[in-house]
Amino acid sequence: MEYLSAFEGNSYYGIVAACFVVLVTLVSTVYMGKMKTKRRGIEDQVGGEPGYAMRNARKSELLEVPSEGATTMAALFEQSCKKHSQLQCLGTRKVISKEFIEDGKGRKFEKLHLGEYQWETYGEIYDRVCSFASGLVKLGHDVNTRAAIFSDSRPEWLISLQGCFRQNLTVVTIYASLGEEALIHSLNETQVSTLICDYKLLKKLSAVYSRLQTVKNIIYFDDGEAAVDSNLSNDMSNWVITPFSEVEKLGKNSPVSSQLPVKTDIAVIMYTSGSTGLPKGVMMAHKNLVASAAAVLTVIPNIGSSDVYLAYLPLAHVLELVAETVMICAGMRIGYGSTLTLTDSSNKIKKGTKGDASVLKPTLMATVPAILDRVRDGVLKKVADTGGLAEKLFNFAYGRRYTAMEGSWFGAWGIEALLWDLVIFNKVKSILGGDIRAMLCGGAPLSGDTQRFVNICVGAPVVQAYGLTETCAGGAFSDFSDTSVGRVGPPLPCCYLKLVSWKEGGYLTTDKPMPRGEIVVGGSCVTNGYFNNKYKTDEVYKVDENGMRWFYTGDIGRFHPDGCLEIVDRKKDIVKLQHGEYISLGKIEAALMASNYVVNVMVYADPLQTSCVALVVPSRQVLEKWAQQAGIEFKDFSELCDKNEAVAEVQQSLAKEAKAANLDKFELPAKIKLLPDPWTPESGLVTAALKLKREAVKAKFKDELEKLYK
Ligand SMILES: *[C@@H]1O[C@H](CO)[C@@H](O)[C@H](O)[C@H]1NC(C)=O
Ligand SMILES: *[C@@H]1O[C@H](CO)[C@@H](O)[C@H](O)[C@H]1NC(C)=O
């Protein structure tokens, strides 16, 4: 995403402002006071394996439902729709015009001009859900089989999901960016008979038609597109292919009574791209999803129907599914967008027209670390390119607010803050519409630097959360009032978090100054396990003597004295070298990422060796700039990556970062290999949330890794 345009035109300084700055700076320095540490989590006694357990400080009993009677996703939805029937619910933007522009190298880019948001009320959406539910049965879907949704996020995604729930169908969800094999595997394993998908994915399906043996019906989202190509439908002649609007019409004209589920019924089988091999399907019961939603609802202060949520992450990701469920409970507006159309300067937005955020003006957004990292880099680059007084002023303002935030909220949000907003930060804030009051971040660890940076620039808390698909996103969630960074907050009020000692790895609950250990999550949000994989389920799920389910996350954490969790490591990422030193791959990677040269890095350690090595995807821009300055000639980037000088240059930069992060000598990669091609979800080397898929990278670059150890 391009967040750069905010700094175009630096009309925000002047002598008057400067004088005012000095005055207000002085005044607010005097007022800066420390807030007393508040306990956010409380230690508690629980069953199961001994450990150090914590619960949310505000609730002594674990939450299970968002409101009385909302024990299933279907009931929760119906309640909210009835309560908020006249309010706007889901919105999308109509395409006003579409054009293709060429970049001169023969590549074509689609540019969109999108209109205002068009809204449907809660009442209208509920009616559509009921129609779809009836239509599905009328269409001949066998209610003893499953349905799957394979699409980007959009209103029809939620409508299909809730429609299926009203007939007690289990919905299989699959990332739209998942590879072919994974798709075939998930649909076949769960015996899906009805597949609900985007029009544009039909082609992809026809290519694997003969291998999708259980599928009988296809329902596609018809955005006024032409009917399905007759060649395409001939190719898939055994399937009944129906437009979504037809199914709704069918159900509207002949309603069928609903078959509502109970709380222990399985709502969703969510396929997550595992870091190894084929994806695993996590079985989520209705009660798991509603428990997580109930908990999140209580930790977002003043959430209500005046809030607006910008939905652009995949709904096939548990973070987004739970977030949208929470927003529905609160009766607010959900506007759909996409990463490619998010801001005015996003790739697919036609120059001079508006991105999703500036039209919607959201108050809440969910995001993942990779996106925030890009925001930060974009803003910093723009500031540096502008240079001069604007850069100095930005850095000064940033420094002031940084100090203020390390002190207290008063300093951060007092009079001085208003001033800085006026002269500097509103520019950045306006990229996201200007009304953001919080950004929720989950999916992977976010660096403290980035968290603070975005926090300061957007002028709203960046709330870190921790949860997994297996715990239905339940886990930890930072308090809005917590100004620290690098932690994921206290337990959500739907679960306990317990640390269990891992002696082998050297993490103990008796560690000083803070207890450490493997993070184990217990409570109603803990899911039923992996579909068709009892072996794997039994390995990581346990039920205690009180009947509570616990999930062993494999993540290592520690509890701060105020009850907040910090993720410090991953069990899988710790390797014991030949001389007995433990090294943490993730920790080293996080340290090396700080180098300007690094876009992506994977550290690898062979337990039979005494050192580690690394594969580095360098920043093309930064490395080429260095090469030009250093007078190094190269034909193309790939050749540059192979040059010894380039490798040496990157390596000395890594050494510097390793030193800054206090890494031990054996933690610095002894040798590195520069790889010219970026790692993308499409290449299968990182997940859709841009997390490194270690096994896949290892397999792809097996030869390179071997050479590094020669
Ligand atoms: C589908 O699953 C069945 C077992 O349920 C298996 O025998 C078959 O090989 C699978 N087909 C594909 C295409 O994976
Ligand atoms: C919902 O469907 C599941 C699986 O088909 C079934 O076991 C369960 O009894 C159903 N629930 C109700 C309330 O009928």
Side-chain angles (χ1 to χ4, degrees), residues 625-638:
K625 194 166 163 196
W626 164 81
Q628 270 149 18
Q629 280 165 1
I632 290 167
E633 308 223 331
F634 56 95
K635 221 172 45 245
D636 54 21
F637 186 53
S638 153

Side-chain angles (χ1 to χ4, degrees), residues 184-185 188-189 191 211-213:
I184 296 167
H185 168 76
N188 186 47
E189 186 175 57
Q191 307 267 299
R211 299 177 62 200
L212 296 177
Q213 289 152 359

Side-chain angles (χ1 to χ4, degrees), residues 143-144 168 260-262 265:
V143 292
N144 295 310
N168 183 27
L260 295 173
V262 294
D265 286 329

